[in-house]
């Protein structure tokens, strides 16, 4: 029986674990894939106060080492359901069943797909969602990115370090990322931004051969021959297992108040999984700090005193 079970091992989940342990509480961290979440795929983090620049994987490793040194328990398991029985919660994974007094949903999001024919078949065969993971395969080649916000811009800057040309294909007539990233994109001679285009088709059977676009400015279609494309068009939440436990918005994000409390007493949500306007590492850490305070107060209300 744990004081807290945390679902998700990204920055928000690990920060909750850190503060939970500092409050003298017991916690279990459940992660289905890899610790660090999407942060681990970021080539460079530059907006964390006190840290000039650090890679996502390095920062993730430091956080994980910190919480495990403090005694955090963790398992690589996928949560399938959570039910509340009186004041306690029963968490069922693909391997085990656990019990806790409180739950923290920190399960983040996953990459949004284009939902075009051939997309799933060509993943790993020219179609990728992570330039950090797969960009090095195309060193010295012209590369392509679909997207117009921060992730797409970061990918473009990363690829420009070892690719002679990076084509950034944007759906609208402007970019939506942080101003400093937009400025770097526009000043980078290796990055070619094409606005008002929508991808219509991944061309290829076994391997990606080309991309077919529609140009909204002249209503013309055109095809670009290539063996690669990185899709960076946003994320969608992974909250299907929790739809009967907490209230979700129409996009599937968990609705919380300012205290990170959900519609179910004893369940909190932090980071990218909850409904919010800004999704960054620093805001995830802030969510975690706030949630930890109210988790401790909730446990005290249950007479779960240290």
């Amino acid at each position: 029986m744990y004081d807290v079970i945390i679902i998700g091992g990204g920055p928000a989940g690990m920060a909750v674990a850190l503060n939970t342990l500092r409050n003298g509480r017991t916690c279990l961290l459940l992660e289905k894939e890899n610790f660090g979440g999407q942060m681990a795929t970021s080539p460079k983090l530059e907006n964390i106060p006190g840290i000039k620049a650090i890679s996502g994987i390095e920062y993730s490793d430091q956080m994980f080492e910190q919480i495990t040194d403090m005694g955090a328990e963790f398992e690589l398991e996928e949560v399938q359901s959570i039910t509340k029985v009186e004041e306690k919660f029963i968490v069922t994974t693909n391997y085990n069943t656990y019990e806790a007094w409180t739950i923290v949903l920190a399960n983040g999001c996953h990459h949004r797909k284009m939902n075009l024919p051939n997309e799933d078949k060509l993943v790993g065969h020219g179609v990728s969602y992570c330039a950090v993971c797969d960009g090095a395969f195309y060193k010295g080649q012209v590369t392509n990115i679909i997207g117009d916000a921060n992730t797409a811009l970061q990918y473009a800057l990363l690829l420009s370090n070892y690719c002679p040309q990076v084509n950034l294909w944007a759906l609208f007539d402007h970019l939506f990322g942080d101003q400093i990233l937009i400025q770097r994109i526009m000043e980078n001679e290796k990055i070619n931004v094409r606005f008002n285009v929508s991808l219509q088709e991944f061309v290829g059977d076994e391997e990606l051969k080309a991309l077919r676009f529609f140009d909204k400015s002249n209503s013309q279609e055109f095809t670009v021959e290539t063996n690669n494309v990185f899709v960076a068009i946003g994320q969608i939440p992974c909250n299907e297992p929790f739809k009967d436990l907490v209230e979700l918005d129409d996009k599937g994000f968990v609705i919380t108040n300012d205290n990170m409390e959900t519609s179910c007493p004893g369940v909190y949500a932090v980071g990218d999984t909850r409904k919010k306007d800004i999704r960054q590492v620093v805001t995830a850490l802030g969510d975690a700090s706030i949630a930890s305070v109210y988790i401790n107060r909730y446990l005290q209300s249950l007479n779960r005193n240290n």
Side-chain angles (χ1 to χ4, degrees):
M1 187 75 176
Y2 295 92
D3 289 324
V4 186
I5 289 181
I6 303 162
I7 316 301
M14 288 195 285
V16 172
L18 171 66
N19 289 294
T20 297
L21 293 164
R22 293 183 70 247
N23 286 332
R25 303 297 185 177
T26 60
C27 76
L28 172 66
L29 195 64
L30 297 173
E31 166 58 46
K32 67 177 182 179
E33 292 178 352
N34 58 282
F35 287 90
Q38 293 188 67
M39 175 181 71
T41 69
S42 179
K44 185 183 292 186
L45 303 176
E46 299 179 291
N47 64 341
I48 300 175
I51 301 177
K52 186 174 182 179
I54 190 171
S55 71
I57 188 65
E58 183 180 1
Y59 190 52
S60 173
D61 287 346
Q62 290 181 10
M63 291 188 71
F64 185 71
E65 181 179 359
Q66 183 181 23
I67 62 172
T68 52
D69 284 350
M70 293 181 66
E73 296 184 42
F74 65 93
E75 297 290 345
L76 287 172
E77 300 177 14
E78 182 174 1
V79 174
Q80 297 178 331
S81 67
I82 301 174
T83 55
K84 188 173 186 180
V85 179
E86 295 181 347
E87 292 182 338
K88 68 179 181 180
F89 296 90
I90 299 174
V91 179
T92 302
T93 74
N94 51 339
Y95 293 111
N96 294 294
T97 298
Y98 304 97
E99 295 183 354
W101 295 109
T102 60
I103 298 293
V104 178
L105 303 178
N107 47 299
C109 304
H110 62 267
H111 296 291
R112 186 181 298 277
K113 294 185 177 182
M114 299 294 298
N115 293 321
L116 293 173
N118 283 355
E119 182 172 5
D120 290 339
K121 185 171 69 173
L122 293 175
V123 171
H125 300 279
V127 175
S128 175
Y129 303 91
C130 179
V132 179
C133 312
D134 302 328
F137 294 127
Y138 304 102
K139 183 178 181 179
Q141 301 181 44
V142 175
T143 51
N144 298 274
I145 301 171
I146 308 294
D148 47 28
N150 278 341
T151 299
L153 305 188
Q154 288 183 325
Y155 283 178
L157 292 168
L158 170 68
L159 293 173
S160 70
N161 291 326
Y162 45 78
C163 296
Q165 180 178 326
V166 180
N167 295 318
L168 182 62
W169 306 96
L171 180 62
F172 300 101
D173 60 359
H174 62 282
L175 300 174
F176 293 89
D178 294 341
Q179 191 57 45
I180 188 170
L181 293 178
I182 294 175
Q183 181 178 345
R184 290 175 183 174
I185 290 289
M186 295 307 180
E187 293 174 350
N188 193 317
E189 295 180 353
K190 291 185 177 181
I191 300 175
N192 173 46
V193 184
R194 179 76 175 265
F195 294 102
N196 291 312
V197 293
S198 62
L199 182 64
Q200 302 295 298
E201 181 184 5
F202 296 100
V203 181
D205 294 323
E206 302 299 326
E207 300 287 339
L208 181 67
K209 300 295 183 183
L211 301 170
R212 183 170 61 86
F213 290 96
F214 176 77
D215 189 328
K216 296 190 294 181
S217 62
N218 58 21
S219 299
Q220 299 292 317
E221 288 191 349
F222 64 96
T223 299
V224 176
E225 293 187 0
T226 184
N227 66 344
N228 69 83
V229 65
F230 297 90
V231 178
I233 57 171
Q235 298 85 34
I236 55 178
C238 314
N239 292 321
E240 184 67 20
F242 317 125
K243 64 181 182 181
D244 296 326
L245 179 69
V246 297
E247 183 181 0
L248 309 178
D249 71 0
D250 57 356
K251 295 182 179 179
F253 291 97
V254 181
I255 296 174
T256 71
N257 61 17
D258 291 342
N259 302 337
M260 308 302 141
E261 297 165 330
T262 70
S263 59
C264 180
V267 180
Y268 302 78
V270 295
D272 289 357
T273 195
R274 78 180 190 93
K275 181 180 180 180
K276 57 193 295 189
D277 290 330
I278 307 300
R279 291 184 170 84
Q280 296 180 349
V281 171
V282 289
T283 64
L285 300 180
D287 289 355
S289 296
I290 293 169
S292 300
V293 171
Y294 289 95
I295 289 169
N296 200 49
R297 292 181 183 178
Y298 180 80
L299 290 168
Q300 289 173 341
S301 74
L302 298 180
N303 293 319
R304 294 289 302 164
N305 297 313
N306 298 339

